Amino acid sequence: MTNDAEELVRTRPEDSEADLYDENGNVRSDFLALVGAAIADRDTIFLRQHVARLHESELGDLLESIQPDQRLALVRLLGDQFDMTALTEVDEAIRREIVDQMPNEQIAAAIGELDSDDAVYILEDLDQEDRDEILAQLPFTERVRLRRALDYPESSAGRRMQTEFVAVPPFWTVGQTIDYMRDEENLPDSFSQIFVIDPTFKLLGAIDLDKILRTKRQNKIETIMRETNHPIPAEMDQEEAAQLFEQYDLLSAAVVDENDRLVGVLTIDDVVDVIHEEADEDIKRLGGVGDEELSDNVFSTVKSRFLWLVINLGTALLSASVIGLFDGSIEKMIALAVLMPIVASMGGNAGTQTMTVTVRALATGDLDIYNAGRVIRREVAVGLANGAMFSVIMGTIAATWFHDYQLGFVIGAAMIINLFAAAVAGILLPLLLDKVGADPAIASSVFVTTVTDCTGFFAFLGIATWWFGI
């Protein structure tokens, strides 16, 4: 180990794992230096003492913080002590980079130790050939469970569920159930519910663990079970499943197939990940960057952004063509060239505000056919109110600036028209895109901006041309 690293070890707190992050929530630079030095020196003793014992989320943060060439070296040096669950905590690009370089035998051995939901999360990124080879090395029962989960659509509840659960028949007593949980070795590490099923695995009900503990041993399960709270179809989109958890304050929920047979359980920790993932995806799509990650290389990033930049270029040319219709007016009155970007910019910002609220409401299910009319009327009223107020403000500024009250009237009228158009476009375009099956988070921004630019330029320059006769 280098002299600098030795000094860091000497001065570093004993409880290094408890003090892994700095005040900004980033992995401490001195710890990164220590890990980098240990990797360079192939110091497996240090890595197994201070890295292998990290929580999976901390190890994931560490993998994202160290240099790309150090990640694979770290995984190799940790060997069988590397916690594969950490790969569920990193960017997809980093996960693929690491997994692609690991032997399938090592992945299969690690997969066998993971919960089924974490195993599926890693397996779904692999090529079909590698996936089949890894699954072939797993025990039959586990292989069947994972294949069944992988057969469900991507981003569905079936992909996110955990196939390990506790299920008992209704004729068992509480005592039998408790003895079963004490003696059975292949139970989930943690669970809060016991499910009740018939001989065909059809879901009949559920019991919370606290109910089991408060009931006498001789009571039968069927006398204390309750109907399952909102069983989730395995084909349901993960975002809809997360909304059910939010609406009904669930900690876990049964996942059933098309025949109402119990196939898994969705837990709150997975749902939190889904909520974070979906929110992150919506924000990125609103910015036109797709599924881009910070760890992506230059080629992937350019590919992700290029399409929407091309579309933006096309809409910019459309806006420019509107300005070209009034080039004579602009030549005769330079003030128009100075003021027209203000109208377009205000409309664009107002449209983006309305669009963001609308897209988020659609994503969370808060906006539907029943309240759409009321929300549209509200946004139109807000657009007109803001337009009226800013027409007075901007009209006064323009009249004072260019000593022409008529110019203030013109820009004020254009401001009202464009903020009204921004409100209408900001809510109707996402609703229309959602209606035709397109993702409003992806396409709304480009179209709303085009509407506000074209409307703003046309309204301002058109009114000015008519009013001043130029």
Side-chain angles (χ1 to χ4, degrees), residues 226-240:
R226 55 170 170 76
E227 290 188 9
T228 309
N229 283 342
H230 312 286
I232 294 175
E235 301 277 347
M236 177 182 282
D237 185 87
Q238 62 180 16
E239 189 170 10
E240 295 179 40

Side-chain angles (χ1 to χ4, degrees), residues 194-197 202-207 225-228 254 262:
I194 297 172
F195 298 104
V196 185
I197 55 174
K202 187 172 182 179
L203 183 65
L204 300 177
I207 312 171
M225 74 177 189
R226 55 170 170 76
E227 290 188 9
T228 309
L262 181 64

Side-chain angles (χ1 to χ4, degrees), residues 2 4 55-56 106 131 135 143 157 162 182 194 207-208 222 225 235 248 274 292 309-310 328 365 386-387 445 448:
T2 64
D4 289 342
H55 185 271
E56 61 202 48
Q106 183 181 353
R131 186 189 302 173
L135 288 172
R143 180 166 67 248
Q162 185 174 325
R182 285 173 177 167
I194 297 172
I207 312 171
D208 293 327
E222 59 190 354
M225 74 177 189
E235 301 277 347
Y248 297 107
V274 167
E292 180 183 320
L309 289 176
V310 170
N386 280 333
S445 180
V448 169

